[in-house]
Structure formats: C-alpha cells, structure tokens
Amino acid sequence: MLHTNTSTFHPDTFFLVGIPGLEDVHVWISLPFCFIYLMALLGNATILLIIWSDHTLRTPMFYFLVILSAIDLALSTSAVPRMLGIFWFDAHEISFSACVAQMFLLHTFTGMESAVLLAMAFDRYVAICAPLHYTTILTPRVLAGIGIGIIMRPILLMFPILYLTHHLPFCGARIIAHSYCEHMGIVKLACASIRINAIYGLFVASFLILDVALVGISYAYILHAVFRLPSRDARHKALNTCGSHVGVMCVFYTPSLFSFLTHRFGQKIPPYIHILVANLYVVIPPALNPIIYGVKTKQIRAHVSHAFSSK
C-alpha cells in the first residue's frame, strides 16, 4: 500500500532480502556474524571502561580511541541487529522511515570512522615527526575542534542525501537486495531519475577517498621520519606503535572501498559477494579494533592482564 505526500509516493515498507542467493544458509551465516558482533560490543565497551576509569589515559591518542570505540559500537549496532532479525526470524519488512533512518546512521557513522582514523594518523604524524611540539599543536582546544569536525562533517554531508531520498517517487518496487538499507540500494528503486543522487553520492564518497589519500601521505612522512631515527630501538618502537594504526585503517578502508567500488563498477561480481563484504565491513572493523589496540597498546594490555590475573 502506498501513501502520498504531495506528488511524492513512498511505500509503507521495503523488503530486505538479506544475502541474495544465500537465503537457504542465512541461519548458518548468522552464527559468525552474531559472535563477531558480541566481540565488538565486549571489546569496545572494555576499551571505553578502561580509559574512563584510568585518569592517566588522557593523551590525544586515547581521546581519539574513545571516539573510535564509541563510533564502532554505534556503527555495528545500526546494522547487525536488523541483519540478525532477517537471518533468524525472517523479519524482512522495514518501514520507509526506519529504512531511511538506518541509511542515514550507517553512512554517517562510516564517515565519522573515516574521519577519526584520519585524526589518529595526524596524531601519530605529530608525535613522530614533531615530538617537541606535540603538546603545543594538539592542545585541548584543537582536540575539541577535531572532535566536532569528526562528528559534524558526515552529518552535514548526509542531510542533502536525506532530502533527495525523501523527495524521490517510489511507484511500486520495494525489494532491496541487501541486509540493511543504504543509499544506492534505496534510490535504485525510484521511478524517477536518480542522477543527482548518484552524483552527490559520489561527491560524499570522494571524502572517504580523500581521507585515504591523506592517511597515506601522513604515513609516508612517518616512515620517512622513522627510518632516519639513529636508534634501532627507537625505530622499532615507532614502527610497532604505527603498525596498530595501519592495521586498523586497512581493516576499515579495504572492505568499505571494495563495497563502494563494486556497487558502481563491479557488475560482474556476484551479488552475494558484494553483500557479504558490505556486511563484513560494519562488523569486522568494530570487532578487530579493540583487539589490535589491546595487543599493541601497553596501558590497555596492562589493564586487561590485571583484570584476568586478579580473578
């Protein structure tokens, strides 16, 4: 059933397929997704609890780590419960407003994660390339400004997408071949030109590519500075610290860029592979980030070891 809003037609509900072609094994696919999601919840909650409880962990790196963990919790929770509902209970129906809200949240949190990873790369660049000026560059006011930028940039970029999507007419098609609602999956069902949506979507995605380029430039300078250090131990320590950051960034950017490029240029890639990768990028990075930082960050590792040894 359709209802009208002036000349715009919206379906009451959309139908989320899940993973096209793998409907018969949804229950089995759900098991690793559920386990990884629980890992993400536990890991990020642990990171937040450790940093909140230890007042010595107030450096810019831990400030950005708090933001990253909060975003990871929000990103995975925006997608995985709905995904599991499809896999377990055949809860394929989702209202138009809920679908658009999920689209907004997923793309906004993805943009926030990209922005905080760029901020963390900048933090490492200052710490290694200009260590004597670290505290004068990353002042509380600068950190507050970066934090506001991390939050506001994707929100402002997503508002036009909300407006454009809401004003599209949907004449009858309502089946989305995905496990959650995302921009192109929704607008492709419209019975009007989506050229503006596609162009603006590419404009928004270009910020993700810009972030990747800036992260790459930052680490090129970092590596150049590291290999000029006179002490072998200092080089090893710097590389070890940066290794965790590079790992986190690879885990996030690789599947997200694959999903983005496949949506637009990967017509020969089977749909189930595209949807599987798109599902993985909302759950794998949030689960792996706490593990990577737990292993590589001495203070967090010490807290976790103390908690286990005291039991």
Side-chain angles (χ1 to χ4, degrees):
M1 177 176 143
L2 302 174
H3 68 272
T4 65
N5 178 11
T6 64
S7 61
T8 302
F9 296 80
H10 296 154
D12 284 338
T13 61
F14 286 118
F15 185 93
L16 291 168
V17 171
I19 302 177
L22 298 179
E23 291 88 347
D24 293 338
V25 291
H26 271 174
V27 172
W28 297 107
I29 293 173
S30 71
L31 298 179
F33 275 100
C34 180
F35 176 72
I36 296 169
Y37 176 57
L38 292 176
M39 281 178 55
L41 293 181
L42 178 62
N44 286 290
T46 301
I47 294 284
L48 291 173
L49 181 62
I50 288 172
I51 296 175
W52 177 78
S53 62
D54 189 343
H55 295 287
T56 65
L57 305 181
R58 294 295 182 268
T59 63
M61 184 183 77
F62 291 104
Y63 169 75
F64 293 132
L65 186 53
V66 164
I67 298 175
L68 179 65
S69 292
I71 292 169
D72 279 340
L73 285 172
L75 176 62
S76 57
T77 301
S78 297
V80 179
R82 166 63 63 177
M83 197 187 305
L84 294 178
I86 294 171
F87 294 161
W88 288 344
F89 308 113
D90 291 327
H92 296 276
E93 299 281 343
I94 182 171
S95 69
F96 177 84
S97 58
C99 191
V100 172
Q102 186 185 47
M103 173 201 75
F104 175 80
L105 291 174
L106 283 170
H107 292 316
T108 298
F109 291 135
T110 298
M112 288 182 185
E113 179 129 356
S114 180
V116 76
L117 291 177
L118 175 59
M120 295 175 86
F122 177 68
D123 169 72
R124 290 300 86 200
Y125 166 77
V126 176
I128 291 174
C129 297
L132 298 179
H133 302 286
Y134 185 76
T135 55
T136 57
I137 294 174
L138 292 175
T139 62
R141 179 176 292 184
V142 170
L143 292 176
I146 293 174
I148 292 170
I150 288 169
I151 294 169
M152 292 307 300
R153 186 187 75 170
I155 290 176
L156 294 175
L157 286 172
M158 279 302 298
F159 274 138
I161 287 181
L162 275 182
Y163 176 83
L164 291 169
T165 303
H166 186 77
H167 283 76
L168 283 173
F170 297 84
C171 302
R174 65 185 194 95
I175 297 175
I176 300 176
H178 213 308
S179 304
Y180 53 79
C181 297
E182 50 88 34
H183 179 226
M184 291 308 297
I186 296 174
V187 302
K188 282 181 178 179
L189 300 180
C191 52
S193 172
I194 61 170
R195 180 181 177 84
I196 295 177
N197 295 73
I199 292 172
Y200 187 75
L202 287 171
F203 170 72
V204 173
S206 69
F207 282 86
L208 185 72
I209 297 171
L210 175 64
D211 289 348
V212 174
L214 292 175
V215 167
I217 292 170
S218 296
Y219 276 95
Y221 278 106
I222 288 170
L223 288 175
H224 178 70
V226 165
F227 287 113
R228 293 177 63 186
L229 293 173
S231 168
R232 184 175 180 179
D233 289 340
R235 288 197 300 269
H236 177 75
K237 183 179 179 181
L239 288 172
N240 190 50
T241 302
C242 293
S244 60
H245 295 264
V246 173
V248 165
M249 291 167 191
C250 289
V251 163
F252 173 73
Y253 284 123
T254 302
S256 59
L257 285 174
F258 176 85
S259 179
F260 163 72
L261 293 172
T262 301
H263 220 326
R264 286 158 177 80
F265 311 112
Q267 287 78 13
K268 294 183 179 180
I269 295 177
Y272 70 89
I273 293 197
H274 171 210
I275 303 306
L276 270 175
V277 172
N279 289 349
L280 289 173
Y281 104 79
V282 298
V283 68
I284 293 290
L288 288 184
N289 289 350
I291 296 174
I292 292 171
Y293 280 106
V295 171
K296 292 290 186 179
T297 307
K298 181 176 64 175
Q299 296 93 325
I300 293 175
R301 189 170 65 243
H303 275 276
V304 173
S305 299
H306 177 73
F308 279 103
S309 62
S310 61
K311 291 183 178 180

